[in-house]
């Protein structure tokens, strides 16, 4: 049976206490001792020493029934390499639209630039061949996740990511990369219409946004010092200027010039055009329109509904001779930001998270990096924004070619050599330094397991030491067997999970819920309420809610559900309900499921667990709830 369930015939009270004396039959019996995995994330930034206290591990010697299975340590010394691992995804994306054709060109040009910048980088990629370094994080650490990947909806995503990563060697094959660059550029030039615009797909109309995106990409490659042919971008500029002029003429005709006509598209156009003023000046026929919208940006930037658009406006104004307004915009951005040592700099508003292109969170953060670097020369703010990008990569896969391209651009733009250091994190448990058996090239990833009797409660005193700049992270995973009734909640990570039971009563006013506060009866409906809190967006989240052996689920049909702006797949199994969340936004979320009481007795309902399958160091679980059922 799944989840370790079994069946036992009895003539007395079963081990779970789910039946009364003398009652005979078949009942699923779940062992009172369950296997629990608790983890602690160990983030650190820049050189120094940081201490952590794994309190429950320190107190583990107080329980006579607890049996430690292992303590597992993992460290990632140089996580910036994970961003570079994403480059093959740009090259291999299957669609033949203009945007992704350009991103294939972008990835190949960027990869060649990276490979030639330091011979060490190519050696590291060669060392990754034939190892699990290029496996998807979803495939790794199966014993820390409590479920096989094959039991989740994400097997295909894991295989796709691993396949893309394993193509990374192709990005550093000079013959292959040269052919790819030529092919992508020819394809892109062939898709470009005579007026200079690109369609999204062949046969479509010229698309201003796609054209702006491609032209911006060429400009960014050049800004990074990547050798590139910008001829297609220059060809597109007159067409984009004409689109701006057309919009201006419409406003003028409607006699609305005195109103606020600034939009995210206008801000994007000004930003893109400002890259090429020395290559191709604004035509006289378009100068009036360009000057009008420049003035609009200076006057109405605060009305823009996205931080990406404000950054576009700030960078354009700075390049167009108005650094005062540009600095005013970046100051406003910083004043509304949140900073922390672990997460860097980010924003809690919804302007960087939505369905429109100007709300995309990764792309928006990349614009913050560019604005703070170019306008303010603020190295601290740039580093903080880059830290946030890397921390996102820790818990999720960058889902789109555009997000991946912009993130890599922002990480390389900062000026510091994020890929240059070989320094390893040093971790000590209870004063004992962890000595890795093997270290992964580039990322500096290593792991060490202490089994059974090797583990001491003092291992809960943890020290992490770092000798170089930048962000790194590590984690400690503790797995143990314990009596279900003695398991206490674990909320030592950015995830917290609370479990409570409610009884549904039918009244004259309709169904009402009352919190469980005493005995219930056979036939009562119990509602399990899970309250989840998370401080950051995560992907590939699995929640497992154990059920008491004397209850049966009301809903036995698996299916996709939708609530609070995100979707999840719910699966009902013999002893637990599982929730699989593809993408979890930050906030507080509530999951509910119902069971029907079937047997009298006293028994535990079990714990509820949550973990990020992409980064298993982020997990939490509740305590178990005991229920008493009267006849």
């Amino acid at each position: 049976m799944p989840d370790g369930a079994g069946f036992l015939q009895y003539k007395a009270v079963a081990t779970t206490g789910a039946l009364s004396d003398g009652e005979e039959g078949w009942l699923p019996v779940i062992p009172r001792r369950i296997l629990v995995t608790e983890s602690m994330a160990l983030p650190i930034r820049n050189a120094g020493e940081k201490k952590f206290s794994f309190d429950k591990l320190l107190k583990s010697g107080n329980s006579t029934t607890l049996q430690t299975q292992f303590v597992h340590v993992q460290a990632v010394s140089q996580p910036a390499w994970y961003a570079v691992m994403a480059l093959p995804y740009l090259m291999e994306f299957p669609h033949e639209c203009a945007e992704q054709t350009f991103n294939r060109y972008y990835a190949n040009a960027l990869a060649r630039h990276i490979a030639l910048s330091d011979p060490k980088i190519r050696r590291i990629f060669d060392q990754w061949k034939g190892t699990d370094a290029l496996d998807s994080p979803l495939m790794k650490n199966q014993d820390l996740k409590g479920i096989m990947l094959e039991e989740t909806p994400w097997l295909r995503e894991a295989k796709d990511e691993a396949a893309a990563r394993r193509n990374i060697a192709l990005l550093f094959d000079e013959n292959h990369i040269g052919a790819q660059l030529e092919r992508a550029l020819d394809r892109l030039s062939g898709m470009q219409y005579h007026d200079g615009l690109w369609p999204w797909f062949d046969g479509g109309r010229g698309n201003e946004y796609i054209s702006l995106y491609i032209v911006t990409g060429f400009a960014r490659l050049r800004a990074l010092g990547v050798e590139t042919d910008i001829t297609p971008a220059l060809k597109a500029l007159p067409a984009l200027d004409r689109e701006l002029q057309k919009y201006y003429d419409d406003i003028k005709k409607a006699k609305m010039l005195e109103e606020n006509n600034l939009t995210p598209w206008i801000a994007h156009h000004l930003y893109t055009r400002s890259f090429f003023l020395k290559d191709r000046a604004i035509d006289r026929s378009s100068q009036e329109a360009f000057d009008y919208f420049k003035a609009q940006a200076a006057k109405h930037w605060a009305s823009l509904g996205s931080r990406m658009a404000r950054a576009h406006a700030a960078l354009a104004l700075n390049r167009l001779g108005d650094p005062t307004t540009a600095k005013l915009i970046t100051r406003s951005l910083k004043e509304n930001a949140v900073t922390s040592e672990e997460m860097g700099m980010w924003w809690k508003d919804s302007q960087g998270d939505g369905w429109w292109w100007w709300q995309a969170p990764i792309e928006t953060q990349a614009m913050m990096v560019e604005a703070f670097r170019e306008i303010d020369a603020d190295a601290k703010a740039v580093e903080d924004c880059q830290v946030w990008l890397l921390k996102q990569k820790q818990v999720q896969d960058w889902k789109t070619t555009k997000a991946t391209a912009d993130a890599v651009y922002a990480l390389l733009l900062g000026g510091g050599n994020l890929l240059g250091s070989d320094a390893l994190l040093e971790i000590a448990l209870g004063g004992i330094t962890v000595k890795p058996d093997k270290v992964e090239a580039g990322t500096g990833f290593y792991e060490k397991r202490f089994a059974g009797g090797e583990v001491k409660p003092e291992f809960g005193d943890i020290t992490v030491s770092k000798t170089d700049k930048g962000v790194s992270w590590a984690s400690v995973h503790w797995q143990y067997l314990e009596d279900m009734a003695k398991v206490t909640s674990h909320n030592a990570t950015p995830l917290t999970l609370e479990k409570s039971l409610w009884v549904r009563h039918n009244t004259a006013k309709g169904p009402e819920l009352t919190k469980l506060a005493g005995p219930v009866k056979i036939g009562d409906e119990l509602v399990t309420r899970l309250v989840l809190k998370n401080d950051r967006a995560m992907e590939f989240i699995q929640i497992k809610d154990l059920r008491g052996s004397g209850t049966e689920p009301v809903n036995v049909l698996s299916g996709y559900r939708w609530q609070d702006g995100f979707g999840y797949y719910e699966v009902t199994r013999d002893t637990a309900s599982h929730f699989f969340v593809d993408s979890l936004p930050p906030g507080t979320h509530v999951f509910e499921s119902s069971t029907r009481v079937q047997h009298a007795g006293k028994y535990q309902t079990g714990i509820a667990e949550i973990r990020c399958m992409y980064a298993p160091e982020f997990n939490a679980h509740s305590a178990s709830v005991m229920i008493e059922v009267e006849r």
Side-chain angles (χ1 to χ4, degrees):
M1 299 296 296
D3 302 306
F7 284 88
L8 181 69
Q9 192 174 28
Y10 55 85
K11 285 192 176 181
V13 178
T15 58
T16 55
L19 293 169
S20 300
D21 291 340
E23 195 171 351
E24 185 174 356
W26 290 90
L27 180 69
V29 176
I30 307 169
R32 286 186 62 89
R33 297 182 77 197
I34 60 173
L35 189 65
V36 181
T37 302
E38 297 181 353
S39 303
M40 174 171 280
L42 313 173
I44 187 170
R45 277 184 67 184
N46 298 325
E49 183 179 278
K50 194 172 181 180
K51 293 186 178 295
F52 299 86
S53 180
F54 203 148
D55 293 335
K56 292 181 69 176
L57 178 55
L58 286 168
K59 298 174 183 177
S60 60
N62 298 336
S63 174
T64 58
T65 54
L66 187 148
Q67 181 182 344
T68 291
Q69 302 298 295
F70 61 75
V71 165
H72 192 95
V73 180
Q74 294 183 319
V76 180
S77 307
Q78 308 297 338
W81 284 92
Y82 289 136
V84 181
M85 283 182 183
L87 282 173
Y89 171 72
L90 298 178
M91 180 185 70
E92 296 298 327
F93 205 84
H95 302 301
E96 291 296 330
C97 62
E99 171 246 330
Q100 288 168 19
T101 298
F102 171 75
N103 276 325
R104 279 197 290 277
Y105 177 83
Y106 186 100
N108 281 281
L110 196 57
R112 181 172 67 178
H113 177 74
I114 293 171
L116 296 177
S117 66
D118 187 346
K120 181 194 80 170
I121 295 174
R122 183 159 188 171
R123 291 198 301 271
I124 287 174
F125 280 102
D126 288 338
Q127 293 176 50
W128 284 348
K129 294 177 182 178
T131 72
D132 62 359
L134 299 176
D135 285 346
S136 167
L138 290 171
M139 293 178 168
K140 301 176 180 179
N141 305 307
Q142 294 297 308
D143 58 340
L144 301 179
K145 298 175 180 177
I147 190 172
M148 297 292 291
L149 178 62
E150 289 76 9
E151 298 180 76
T152 76
W154 303 312
L155 180 60
R156 180 178 177 181
E157 284 86 346
K159 289 181 176 180
D160 288 348
E161 184 177 16
R165 284 186 171 196
R166 292 189 185 282
N167 284 331
I168 203 160
L170 297 176
L171 289 171
F172 295 86
D173 181 314
E174 292 183 16
N175 292 328
H176 174 83
I177 207 168
Q180 286 290 318
L181 282 169
E182 185 177 351
R183 186 178 301 116
L185 192 59
D186 287 346
R187 166 76 176 155
L188 201 62
S189 298
M191 295 181 72
Q192 191 173 20
Y193 291 155
H194 292 299
D195 65 359
L197 296 180
W198 282 276
W200 188 18
F201 283 89
D202 270 334
R205 68 170 183 83
N207 188 296
E208 296 86 359
Y209 169 67
I210 293 297
S211 301
L212 270 177
Y213 174 73
I214 293 172
V215 172
T216 303
F218 277 109
R220 287 176 166 179
L221 284 174
R222 188 170 65 169
L224 288 172
V226 178
E227 182 181 343
T228 184
D229 180 2
I230 64 169
T231 303
L234 297 178
K235 181 181 176 181
L237 293 178
L240 293 173
D241 288 346
R242 286 193 296 272
E243 292 295 329
L244 191 72
Q245 181 68 43
K246 189 185 303 180
Y247 184 41
Y248 173 74
D249 289 341
D250 290 342
I251 295 171
K252 190 174 183 179
K253 184 177 180 180
K255 298 181 180 180
M256 297 172 60
L257 289 176
E258 298 303 318
E259 299 183 17
N260 177 10
N261 294 300
L262 186 63
T263 67
W265 185 86
I266 293 297
H268 193 179
H269 179 96
L270 294 174
Y271 162 73
T272 302
R273 197 64 181 84
S274 65
F275 277 108
F276 297 99
L277 293 177
K278 292 182 180 180
D279 301 284
R280 182 163 190 144
I282 305 295
D283 291 338
R284 288 185 179 181
S285 59
S286 302
Q287 189 67 53
E288 182 180 343
F290 189 84
D291 290 342
Y292 169 78
F293 286 115
K294 173 190 170 184
Q296 284 267 302
K299 183 177 180 180
H300 297 296
W301 62 267
S303 69
L304 289 169
S306 83
R307 282 182 285 108
M308 179 190 287
R310 291 185 182 186
H312 284 154
L315 284 160
L317 290 170
N318 190 60
R319 295 167 184 171
L320 294 170
D322 187 359
T324 301
T325 305
K327 288 181 181 296
L328 184 64
I329 297 173
T330 54
R331 189 179 77 182
S332 171
L333 291 170
K334 292 175 187 176
E335 287 173 349
N336 289 283
V338 179
T339 59
S340 72
E341 180 186 359
E342 180 193 358
M343 294 298 294
M345 181 182 291
W346 78 101
W347 287 258
K348 288 187 175 181
D349 56 46
S350 60
Q351 294 178 9
D353 190 8
W355 296 105
W356 294 99
W357 59 265
W358 59 80
Q359 296 173 313
I362 300 298
E363 294 90 320
T364 297
Q365 191 76 359
M367 287 306 307
M368 300 299 104
V369 171
E370 188 173 356
F372 296 150
R373 174 184 177 270
E374 184 174 323
I375 297 170
D376 299 330
D378 189 339
K380 179 64 166 58
V382 167
E383 181 188 338
D384 284 343
C385 289
Q386 290 176 324
V387 165
W388 186 88
L389 281 172
L390 286 173
K391 293 297 289 186
Q392 300 311 296
K393 190 60 182 153
Q394 182 182 12
V395 294
Q396 60 183 295
D397 181 23
W398 288 324
K399 285 296 185 185
T400 68
T401 53
K402 189 172 183 298
T404 304
D406 283 7
V408 172
Y409 169 72
L411 290 171
L412 295 178
L413 188 67
N417 185 3
L418 295 179
L419 307 179
S421 178
D422 294 319
L424 295 181
L425 282 182
E426 184 177 290
I427 301 172
L429 305 179
I432 299 174
T433 300
V434 176
K435 297 181 179 179
D437 299 321
K438 183 177 64 173
V439 178
E440 186 176 277
T443 63
F445 170 83
Y446 66 86
E447 55 188 339
K448 182 78 173 182
R449 177 167 295 192
F450 301 88
E454 295 181 275
V455 179
K456 310 298 181 186
E458 51 265 31
F459 277 18
D461 281 326
I462 305 166
T463 303
V464 181
S465 303
K466 183 173 169 64
T467 60
D468 60 344
K469 293 181 63 177
V471 61
S472 302
W473 56 72
S475 57
V476 171
H477 308 267
W478 174 39
Q479 193 171 93
Y480 61 90
L481 282 166
E482 177 60 296
D483 187 312
M484 188 185 299
K486 295 183 178 181
V487 176
T488 58
S489 62
H490 171 67
N491 293 308
T493 75
L495 290 168
T496 65
L497 189 66
E498 297 177 1
K499 177 177 180 174
S500 59
L501 290 184
W502 301 70
V503 184
R504 191 190 304 273
H505 299 284
N506 291 320
T507 69
K509 298 180 181 179
E512 290 185 354
L513 291 178
T514 57
K515 194 166 186 178
L516 181 68
V520 294
K521 297 181 179 180
I522 293 175
D524 281 352
E525 182 181 349
L526 298 179
V527 176
T528 302
R529 178 175 293 171
L530 306 179
V531 179
L532 161 65
K533 296 179 181 179
N534 58 306
D535 69 351
R536 67 199 69 180
M538 295 183 177
E539 291 183 343
F540 307 114
I541 297 296
Q542 184 231 352
I543 303 171
K544 178 181 179 181
D545 177 28
L546 292 173
R547 288 191 303 275
S549 59
T551 63
E552 292 293 335
V554 172
N555 175 32
V556 296
L557 298 178
S558 300
Y560 201 80
R561 323 284 185 225
W562 186 266
Q563 68 174 42
D564 300 331
F566 69 95
Y568 60 89
Y569 191 77
E570 182 179 355
V571 179
T572 303
R573 293 181 178 159
D574 288 331
T575 62
S577 293
H578 296 257
F579 305 87
F580 299 97
V581 186
D582 291 333
S583 183
L584 183 71
T588 300
H589 313 284
V590 179
F591 298 82
E592 290 186 347
S593 58
S594 296
T595 59
R596 188 78 64 182
V597 178
Q598 301 291 326
H599 302 285
K602 292 182 180 180
Y603 42 86
Q604 296 288 328
T605 59
I607 66 174
E609 304 172 275
I610 181 172
R611 59 177 48 84
C612 175
M613 298 285 285
Y614 208 79
E617 61 266 34
F618 295 108
N619 63 31
H621 65 75
S622 71
S624 178
V625 180
M626 192 273 289
I627 61 174
E628 180 180 356
V629 182
E630 299 176 339
R631 285 188 174 278

